[in-house]
Structures are given as structure tokens and as C-alpha cells.
Amino acid sequence: MLKENLMNDLKSAMKEKNELKKNTIQMVRAAILQIEKDKQIELDDSKIIDVIAKEVKKRNDSISDYEKGGRADLVNQIKEEIEYLKVYLPKQLSIEEVEKIVKDIIEETQAKDIKDMGKVMKAAKEKIGASSDGKTINEIVKKFLS
């Protein structure tokens, strides 16, 4: 389903002659195909969402580097690519929603301090998935466990 959406959006980007959108979608499709070839599996929508989330994270991480280098043109391009990719991701949870989920997980796992961070992070990532980035989840878990 998600693969088909990517393909249809790729075709429409080509028709519109939107190079940036076309290139961004092609990059994601290449990443998906690479994983499928390497692992010899067919990715389902949830795994494809993980790949797209990883691509968004890469781009978010590179923004600060481009800003330090004074490359406003590339910062704008990366932000535009992120917007194209966010269409395929589930709605992002607010900080308050993530905090509530993390609190519930801490109660369920009976985590007491920072030593229990690993099991809380694992459970939180499974429950939240691509609805929030790992950095945000990590910061919230640290806040509650320290």
C-alpha cells in the first residue's frame, strides 16, 4: 500500500517536473529496495514507515551542519525534503502524549532509576514507533528516571 503511494507520488512528481520531490521519493524507494534485497524479504508498511522515519532523522541531523556552514540554500532544501517525507509518517505525538505513554511504561516495568532506562526505552519505542523520534523519547525517559 505505502509502496504504491510512493510510486504514484513519484509519477506525479515527474509529471509536475518537481525535481526535489522526485529525488526525495527515489531516495526513499532505493533505501527500501536495498533493505529488501539485502535481507531478501518484502517490507510491510510498518517497516517502510521505519525506513522513512530513519530518512527524516538523517535529514534533521544534517540541518545543524548546514546551518553551521552557512548553507541556507541546503537547509531549505532539506526542510522541504522532510516535509515531503512526513506525508508518509503517522501523526507525530505531542510531548505531553509521549510523556503520558512513558509514565505508563515506567509504572508497568516498575523502573526506579536511570539503570532501568534500557527496558523503558525498548518498551517505549515498541509502543510509540515512528509517532515520535527516539531523541524525544530518550529525553523524556531521562527526565522521569533521574
Side-chain angles (χ1 to χ4, degrees):
M1 174 79 182
L2 204 47
K3 269 191 201 174
E4 294 162 8
N5 290 351
L6 284 165
M7 192 63 201
N8 292 335
D9 289 348
L10 177 63
K11 288 176 186 174
S12 68
M14 291 168 133
K15 286 178 186 172
E16 297 164 5
K17 297 190 183 341
N18 185 338
E19 281 296 308
L20 185 60
K21 185 175 184 179
K22 179 190 83 150
N23 292 340
T24 303
I25 294 171
Q26 282 179 327
M27 232 181 309
V28 168
R29 290 189 71 241
I32 292 167
L33 291 172
Q34 187 66 51
I35 292 170
E36 287 181 337
K37 270 187 175 174
D38 290 348
K39 296 185 179 179
Q40 296 182 346
I41 56 170
E42 180 84 16
L43 294 181
D44 60 1
D45 281 357
S46 68
K47 298 288 185 206
I48 291 173
I49 287 172
D50 291 343
V51 172
I52 295 171
K54 196 175 285 184
E55 291 294 320
V56 169
K57 182 186 181 326
K58 278 189 216 172
R59 284 165 176 76
N60 275 326
D61 292 347
S62 68
I63 286 177
S64 63
D65 293 337
Y66 290 133
E67 285 172 340
K68 287 176 192 167
R71 297 294 309 266
D73 57 328
L74 290 176
V75 170
N76 292 334
Q77 178 183 327
I78 297 289
K79 285 181 178 177
E80 203 172 325
E81 288 177 6
I82 290 169
E83 289 306 311
Y84 291 139
L85 294 176
K86 279 186 175 178
V87 170
Y88 306 103
L89 294 176
K91 181 187 150 292
Q92 296 296 292
L93 297 174
S94 69
I95 299 290
E96 293 78 24
E97 291 169 316
V98 175
E99 284 179 347
K100 184 186 180 325
I101 292 170
V102 168
K103 279 181 189 173
D104 292 344
I105 291 170
I106 288 172
E107 285 177 23
E108 288 169 19
T109 59
Q110 299 176 345
K112 303 279 184 260
D113 54 27
I114 206 76
K115 292 177 190 165
D116 299 321
M117 186 166 179
K119 65 181 176 184
V120 174
M121 280 298 295
K122 183 176 187 256
K125 286 296 286 174
E126 287 173 4
K127 194 165 191 171
I128 296 170
S131 296
S132 183
D133 65 297
K135 184 179 178 188
T136 304
I137 298 169
N138 185 302
E139 289 169 358
I140 291 171
V141 171
K142 278 183 184 173
K143 181 173 105 176
F144 288 128
L145 290 181
S146 50

Coordinates of all heavy atoms in Angstrom, one line a residue, residues 41-84:
I41 N 13.6 -10.0 1.9 CA 12.3 -10.0 2.4 C 11.5 -8.9 1.7 O 12.0 -8.1 1.0 CB 12.2 -9.7 3.9 CG1 13.0 -8.4 4.2 CG2 12.9 -10.9 4.7 CD1 12.8 -7.9 5.7
E42 N 10.2 -9.0 1.9 CA 9.3 -7.9 1.4 C 8.8 -7.1 2.6 O 8.3 -7.6 3.6 CB 8.0 -8.6 0.7 CG 7.0 -7.6 0.2 CD 7.3 -7.2 -1.2 OE1 8.2 -7.8 -1.9 OE2 6.8 -6.2 -1.7
L43 N 9.2 -5.8 2.6 CA 8.8 -4.9 3.7 C 7.3 -4.6 3.7 O 6.8 -4.3 2.7 CB 9.6 -3.6 3.6 CG 11.1 -3.7 3.8 CD1 11.8 -2.4 3.7 CD2 11.5 -4.4 5.1
D44 N 6.7 -4.7 4.9 CA 5.4 -4.3 5.0 C 5.3 -2.8 5.4 O 6.4 -2.2 5.5 CB 4.6 -5.1 6.1 CG 5.3 -5.0 7.5 OD1 6.3 -4.2 7.6 OD2 4.8 -5.6 8.4
D45 N 4.1 -2.2 5.5 CA 4.0 -0.8 5.7 C 4.7 -0.3 7.0 O 5.3 0.8 7.0 CB 2.5 -0.4 5.7 CG 1.9 -0.3 4.3 OD1 2.7 -0.5 3.3 OD2 0.7 0.0 4.2
S46 N 4.6 -1.1 8.0 CA 5.3 -0.6 9.3 C 6.8 -0.5 9.1 O 7.4 0.4 9.7 CB 4.9 -1.6 10.4 OG 5.5 -2.8 10.3
K47 N 7.4 -1.5 8.4 CA 8.8 -1.4 8.2 C 9.2 -0.3 7.2 O 10.2 0.3 7.4 CB 9.3 -2.8 7.6 CG 9.2 -3.9 8.5 CD 10.1 -3.9 9.7 CE 10.0 -5.1 10.5 NZ 10.3 -4.9 11.9
I48 N 8.3 0.0 6.3 CA 8.6 1.1 5.3 C 8.5 2.4 6.1 O 9.3 3.3 5.9 CB 7.6 1.0 4.2 CG1 7.8 -0.2 3.3 CG2 7.6 2.3 3.4 CD1 6.8 -0.4 2.2
I49 N 7.6 2.5 7.0 CA 7.5 3.7 7.9 C 8.8 3.9 8.7 O 9.3 5.0 8.8 CB 6.2 3.6 8.8 CG1 5.0 3.9 7.9 CG2 6.3 4.7 9.9 CD1 3.7 3.6 8.7
D50 N 9.3 2.8 9.2 CA 10.6 2.9 9.9 C 11.7 3.4 9.0 O 12.5 4.2 9.4 CB 11.0 1.5 10.4 CG 10.1 1.0 11.6 OD1 9.4 1.8 12.1 OD2 10.1 -0.2 11.9
V51 N 11.7 2.9 7.7 CA 12.8 3.4 6.8 C 12.6 4.9 6.5 O 13.6 5.7 6.6 CB 12.7 2.6 5.5 CG1 13.6 3.2 4.4 CG2 13.0 1.2 5.7
I52 N 11.3 5.3 6.3 CA 11.1 6.8 6.1 C 11.4 7.6 7.3 O 12.0 8.7 7.2 CB 9.6 7.0 5.7 CG1 9.3 6.3 4.3 CG2 9.3 8.4 5.6 CD1 7.9 6.2 3.9
A53 N 11.1 7.1 8.5 CA 11.4 7.8 9.7 C 13.0 8.0 9.9 O 13.5 9.0 10.3 CB 10.9 7.1 10.9
K54 N 13.7 6.9 9.5 CA 15.1 7.0 9.5 C 15.7 8.0 8.6 O 16.6 8.8 8.9 CB 15.7 5.6 9.2 CG 17.2 5.4 9.6 CD 17.6 4.0 9.3 CE 17.1 3.1 10.4 NZ 17.5 1.7 10.3
E55 N 15.1 8.1 7.4 CA 15.5 9.1 6.4 C 15.2 10.5 6.9 O 16.0 11.4 6.7 CB 14.8 8.9 5.1 CG 15.2 7.6 4.3 CD 16.6 7.7 3.9 OE1 17.1 8.7 3.4 OE2 17.3 6.6 3.9
V56 N 14.1 10.7 7.6 CA 13.7 12.0 8.2 C 14.8 12.4 9.2 O 15.2 13.5 9.3 CB 12.3 12.0 8.7 CG1 12.0 13.3 9.5 CG2 11.3 12.0 7.6
K57 N 15.1 11.4 10.1 CA 16.1 11.6 11.1 C 17.4 12.1 10.6 O 18.1 13.0 11.0 CB 16.2 10.4 12.0 CG 17.2 10.6 13.2 CD 17.5 9.3 13.9 CE 18.4 9.4 15.1 NZ 19.4 10.4 15.0
K58 N 17.9 11.4 9.5 CA 19.1 11.7 8.8 C 19.1 13.2 8.4 O 20.1 13.9 8.6 CB 19.4 10.8 7.6 CG 19.9 9.5 7.9 CD 20.3 8.9 6.5 CE 20.1 7.4 6.5 NZ 20.2 6.8 5.2
R59 N 18.0 13.6 7.8 CA 17.9 14.9 7.3 C 17.9 15.9 8.4 O 18.5 17.0 8.4 CB 16.7 15.1 6.4 CG 16.9 14.4 5.0 CD 15.6 14.2 4.3 NE 15.9 13.7 2.9 CZ 16.2 12.5 2.7 NH1 16.4 11.6 3.6 NH2 16.5 12.1 1.4
N60 N 17.1 15.6 9.5 CA 17.1 16.5 10.7 C 18.5 16.7 11.3 O 18.9 17.8 11.7 CB 16.1 16.0 11.7 CG 14.7 16.4 11.5 OD1 14.4 17.5 10.9 ND2 13.8 15.6 11.8
D61 N 19.2 15.6 11.3 CA 20.6 15.7 11.9 C 21.5 16.5 11.1 O 22.4 17.2 11.6 CB 21.1 14.2 12.1 CG 20.4 13.4 13.1 OD1 19.6 14.0 13.9 OD2 20.6 12.2 13.2
S62 N 21.3 16.5 9.7 CA 22.2 17.3 8.9 C 21.9 18.8 8.8 O 22.8 19.5 8.4 CB 22.2 16.7 7.4 OG 20.9 16.9 6.9
I63 N 20.7 19.2 9.3 CA 20.4 20.6 9.2 C 21.4 21.4 10.0 O 21.8 22.5 9.5 CB 18.9 20.8 9.7 CG1 17.9 20.3 8.6 CG2 18.7 22.3 10.0 CD1 16.5 20.4 9.0
S64 N 21.7 21.0 11.2 CA 22.6 21.8 12.0 C 24.0 22.0 11.3 O 24.6 23.1 11.4 CB 22.8 21.3 13.4 OG 23.3 20.0 13.4
D65 N 24.4 20.9 10.7 CA 25.7 21.0 10.0 C 25.7 22.1 8.9 O 26.6 22.9 8.7 CB 26.1 19.7 9.4 CG 26.4 18.6 10.5 OD1 26.8 19.0 11.6 OD2 26.3 17.4 10.2
Y66 N 24.6 22.1 8.1 CA 24.5 23.0 7.0 C 24.3 24.4 7.6 O 24.8 25.4 7.0 CB 23.3 22.7 6.1 CG 23.5 21.4 5.3 CD1 22.6 20.4 5.2 CD2 24.7 21.2 4.6 CE1 22.8 19.3 4.4 CE2 24.9 20.1 3.8 CZ 24.0 19.1 3.8 OH 24.2 18.0 3.0
E67 N 23.6 24.6 8.7 CA 23.5 25.9 9.3 C 24.8 26.4 9.7 O 25.1 27.6 9.6 CB 22.5 25.9 10.5 CG 21.0 25.7 10.0 CD 20.1 25.5 11.2 OE1 20.5 25.1 12.3 OE2 18.9 25.8 11.0
K68 N 25.6 25.6 10.3 CA 27.0 26.0 10.8 C 27.8 26.4 9.6 O 28.7 27.3 9.7 CB 27.7 24.8 11.5 CG 27.2 24.6 12.9 CD 27.8 23.4 13.5 CE 27.1 22.9 14.8 NZ 27.6 21.6 15.2
G69 N 27.6 25.7 8.5 CA 28.4 26.1 7.3 C 27.8 27.2 6.5 O 28.3 27.6 5.4
G70 N 26.7 27.8 7.0 CA 26.1 29.0 6.3 C 25.5 28.6 5.0 O 25.4 29.5 4.1
R71 N 25.0 27.4 4.9 CA 24.3 27.0 3.7 C 22.8 27.0 3.8 O 22.2 26.0 3.9 CB 24.8 25.6 3.3 CG 26.3 25.4 3.0 CD 26.7 26.2 1.7 NE 25.9 25.9 0.6 CZ 26.2 24.9 -0.3 NH1 27.3 24.2 -0.2 NH2 25.4 24.7 -1.4
A72 N 22.3 28.2 3.8 CA 20.8 28.4 3.9 C 20.1 27.7 2.8 O 19.0 27.2 3.0 CB 20.5 29.9 4.0
D73 N 20.7 27.7 1.6 CA 20.0 27.0 0.5 C 19.8 25.5 0.7 O 18.7 25.0 0.5 CB 20.8 27.2 -0.8 CG 22.3 26.7 -0.7 OD1 22.8 26.8 0.4 OD2 22.8 26.3 -1.7
L74 N 20.8 24.9 1.3 CA 20.7 23.4 1.6 C 19.8 23.2 2.8 O 19.1 22.2 2.8 CB 22.1 22.8 1.9 CG 23.0 22.7 0.6 CD1 24.4 22.2 1.0 CD2 22.4 21.8 -0.4
V75 N 19.8 24.1 3.8 CA 18.9 24.0 4.9 C 17.4 24.0 4.4 O 16.6 23.1 4.8 CB 19.1 25.1 5.9 CG1 18.0 25.1 7.0 CG2 20.5 24.9 6.6
N76 N 17.1 24.9 3.5 CA 15.8 25.0 3.0 C 15.4 23.8 2.2 O 14.3 23.2 2.2 CB 15.6 26.3 2.1 CG 15.7 27.5 3.0 OD1 15.4 27.5 4.1 ND2 16.1 28.6 2.3
Q77 N 16.4 23.3 1.4 CA 16.1 22.1 0.6 C 15.9 20.9 1.5 O 14.9 20.1 1.3 CB 17.4 21.8 -0.3 CG 17.2 20.5 -1.1 CD 18.5 20.2 -1.9 OE1 19.2 21.1 -2.3 NE2 18.7 18.9 -2.1
I78 N 16.6 20.7 2.6 CA 16.5 19.6 3.5 C 15.1 19.7 4.2 O 14.4 18.7 4.3 CB 17.6 19.5 4.5 CG1 19.0 19.3 3.9 CG2 17.3 18.5 5.6 CD1 19.2 17.9 3.3
K79 N 14.7 20.9 4.6 CA 13.4 21.1 5.2 C 12.3 20.7 4.3 O 11.3 20.1 4.7 CB 13.3 22.5 5.7 CG 14.1 22.8 7.0 CD 14.0 24.2 7.5 CE 14.8 24.4 8.8 NZ 14.7 25.7 9.3
E80 N 12.4 21.0 3.0 CA 11.4 20.7 2.0 C 11.3 19.2 1.8 O 10.3 18.6 1.8 CB 11.8 21.4 0.7 CG 10.6 21.6 -0.2 CD 10.9 22.5 -1.4 OE1 11.7 23.4 -1.3 OE2 10.3 22.2 -2.5
E81 N 12.5 18.5 1.8 CA 12.5 17.1 1.7 C 11.8 16.4 2.9 O 11.0 15.5 2.7 CB 14.0 16.5 1.6 CG 14.7 16.8 0.3 CD 16.1 16.4 0.3 OE1 16.6 15.7 1.3 OE2 16.8 16.7 -0.7
I82 N 12.1 17.0 4.1 CA 11.4 16.4 5.3 C 9.9 16.6 5.2 O 9.2 15.6 5.5 CB 12.0 17.1 6.6 CG1 13.4 16.7 6.8 CG2 11.1 16.8 7.8 CD1 14.1 17.5 7.9
E83 N 9.4 17.7 4.7 CA 8.0 17.9 4.5 C 7.4 16.8 3.5 O 6.3 16.3 3.8 CB 7.7 19.3 4.0 CG 7.9 20.3 5.1 CD 7.2 20.1 6.4 OE1 6.0 19.8 6.4 OE2 7.9 20.1 7.5
Y84 N 8.1 16.5 2.5 CA 7.6 15.5 1.5 C 7.6 14.2 2.2 O 6.6 13.4 1.9 CB 8.6 15.4 0.3 CG 8.5 16.6 -0.6 CD1 9.7 17.1 -1.2 CD2 7.4 17.3 -1.0 CE1 9.7 18.2 -2.0 CE2 7.3 18.4 -1.8 CZ 8.5 18.8 -2.4 OH 8.5 19.9 -3.2

